[in-house]
């Protein structure tokens, strides 16, 4: 079983690696591996004692935002395919913002839908009294005054990728992660008004981050199933850096990946329908 894990920054990559390379972990080796367009940190686990696939994880700090994530993930996927060792699963992993109160700081969110929230067109077609000149904008009036049309309604592309249900269920069971939609945004939410707007358009959203949809687009192009797991470091809404808990979220990410190996080793990558 070969797994590509794409994070945005090295700190997230290292948090994932710590689950397998820390003293007392099950990892036998970790090494740098360079491919055109990407530098991977490869972690190879010993074969399971009860039999099963040997698990190899390539960890990639692919850059911030959906474009960088898509480009770096696509480069790694292409290199693996050309080498004759394609990946079985791609995972977008890292920290992110949680929609309150459903995804509190320190919790884990596992995507059953990976949705891009701001790919489309803004419109004023729904504007009414809320958009009147001189009116004070509030969270309640924001959406009415700022309509949004997703790119799919314009006749292009896609806005959602769905991970394999069976794998999502198994991972949620062992990690305690909350299941729901994870939104990909190019601009992190910084106001209560936008948080309300996003949650109204995506009622099942539990978290937002900046890379998942880009990773999913690259995986989809290669026909490889995708996952997204986020550890919540801050609430979605007004930026309050004093309330961020990045260290706590990174530790939660390490803990989650420490429980994933048996699930990934036993999962059948051809089981994509359940």
């Amino acid at each position: 079983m070969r797994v590509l894990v794409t994070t945005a920054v090295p700190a997230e990559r290292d948090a994932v690696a710590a689950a397998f390379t820390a003293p007392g972990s099950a990892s036998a080796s970790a090494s740098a591996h360079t491919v055109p367009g990407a530098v991977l940190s490869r972690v190879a686990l010993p074969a399971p004692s009860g039999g099963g696939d040997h698990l190899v994880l390539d960890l990639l700090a692919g850059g911030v935002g959906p474009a960088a994530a898509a480009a770096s993930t696509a480069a790694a996927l292409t290199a693996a395919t050309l080498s004759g060792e394609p990946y079985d699963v791609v995972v977008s992993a890292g920290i992110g913002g949680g929609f309150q109160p459903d995804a509190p700081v320190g919790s884990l969110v596992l995507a059953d839908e990976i949705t891009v929230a701001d790919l489309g067109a803004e419109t004023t077609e729904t504007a009414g009294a809320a958009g009147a000149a001189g009116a004070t904008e509030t969270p309640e009036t924001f959406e009415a005054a700022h309509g949004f049309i997703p790119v799919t309604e314009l006749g292009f592309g896609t806005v959602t990728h769905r991970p394999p249900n069976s794998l999502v269920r198994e991972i949620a069971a062992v990690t305690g992660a909350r299941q729901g939609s994870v939104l990909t945004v190019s601009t992190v939410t910084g106001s209560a008004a936008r948080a309300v707007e996003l949650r109204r358009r995506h009622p099942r959203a539990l978290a937002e981050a900046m890379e998942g949809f880009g990773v999913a687009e690259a995986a989809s192009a290669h026909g490889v199933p995708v996952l997204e797991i986020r550890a919540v470091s801050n609430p979605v809404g007004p930026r309050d850096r004093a309330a961020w808990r990045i260290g706590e979220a990174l530790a939660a990410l390490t803990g989650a990946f420490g429980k994933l190996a048996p699930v990934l080793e036993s999962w059948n990558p051809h089981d994509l329908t359940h």
Side-chain angles (χ1 to χ4, degrees):
M1 171 69 72
R2 292 173 54 79
V3 180
L4 174 65
V5 181
T6 302
T7 69
V9 298
E12 294 168 320
R13 177 201 61 203
D14 295 345
V16 173
F20 307 103
T21 59
S25 68
S27 178
S29 62
S31 60
H33 182 63
T34 302
V35 299
V39 178
L40 309 171
S41 178
R42 176 163 295 175
V43 177
L45 274 67
S49 57
D53 285 346
H54 174 62
L55 184 61
V56 176
L57 299 100
D58 283 342
L59 313 182
L60 169 65
V64 175
S72 58
T73 300
L77 285 164
T78 299
T81 299
L82 292 176
S83 72
E85 296 181 316
Y87 293 107
D88 298 296
V89 182
V90 179
V91 184
S92 175
I95 63 176
F99 287 94
Q100 304 304 301
D102 297 321
V105 172
S107 65
L108 290 168
V109 174
L110 181 64
D112 55 20
E113 294 182 341
I114 301 169
T115 296
V116 61
D118 52 8
L119 182 61
E122 189 176 28
T123 176
T124 58
E125 292 174 3
T126 59
T136 300
E137 187 169 82
T138 68
E140 290 72 24
T141 62
F142 186 90
E143 185 175 338
H146 298 79
F148 178 81
I149 302 173
V151 70
T152 47
E153 293 187 19
L154 299 174
F156 307 103
T158 186
V159 294
T160 296
H161 292 280
R162 291 177 174 82
N165 288 335
S166 60
L167 190 53
V168 168
R169 287 195 303 267
E170 291 180 34
I171 292 175
V174 300
T175 62
R178 299 155 193 254
Q179 298 179 56
S181 297
V182 175
L183 305 183
T184 299
V185 295
S186 294
T187 301
V188 172
T189 298
S191 68
R194 188 170 188 243
V196 168
E197 177 208 12
L198 288 175
R199 197 67 186 275
R200 286 184 175 177
R201 284 200 277 118
H202 306 280
R204 297 186 66 256
L206 293 182
E208 72 165 23
M210 301 181 73
E211 294 78 32
F213 186 78
V215 173
E217 283 280 271
S220 177
H222 283 259
V224 181
V226 66
L227 297 168
E228 182 171 10
I229 186 165
R230 294 285 167 180
V232 177
S233 59
N234 58 276
V236 175
R239 287 174 63 82
D240 178 9
R241 299 192 68 167
W244 293 0
R245 298 293 183 267
I246 293 176
E248 181 180 340
L250 291 173
L253 192 65
T254 301
F257 271 86
K259 300 172 183 177
L260 290 189
V263 177
L264 294 173
E265 287 167 344
S266 64
W267 185 67
N268 179 359
H270 301 292
D271 181 16
L272 303 178
T273 59
H274 299 92

